[in-house]
Amino acid sequence: MKKLQDIEKILSELPGLDCGSCGAPSCQSLAEDIVQGKACESDCVFKLRTRVETLAGEMQELSNKVNANK
């Protein structure tokens, strides 16, 4: 039951496009693979893009703080 709950939670956070860019045929399959430890959320190009955007923003903030302290 725990694994099914985990799959449903992960699936709700995926785009639901079933594009196959991650290598899985559907978002459902990717969610199952993630729960089984065969894949990770960043295999989804949409989740990866969001993560990269977040990291880029954090890097920009740090750069601004460093430059402000000079």
Side-chain angles (χ1 to χ4, degrees), residues 31-40:
E32 292 170 5
D33 289 347
I34 292 169
V35 169
Q36 293 174 2
K38 298 177 182 176
C40 60

Side-chain angles (χ1 to χ4, degrees), residues 17-41:
L17 299 174
D18 296 337
C19 66
S21 295
C22 62
S26 67
C27 291
Q28 173 77 32
S29 296
L30 177 60
E32 292 170 5
D33 289 347
I34 292 169
V35 169
Q36 293 174 2
K38 298 177 182 176
C40 60
E41 282 192 35

Side-chain angles (χ1 to χ4, degrees), residues 45-59:
V45 295
F46 298 98
K47 297 289 281 186
L48 179 60
R49 181 182 64 199
T50 301
R51 181 67 180 135
V52 168
E53 288 172 352
T54 301
L55 287 173
E58 291 173 3
M59 289 174 58

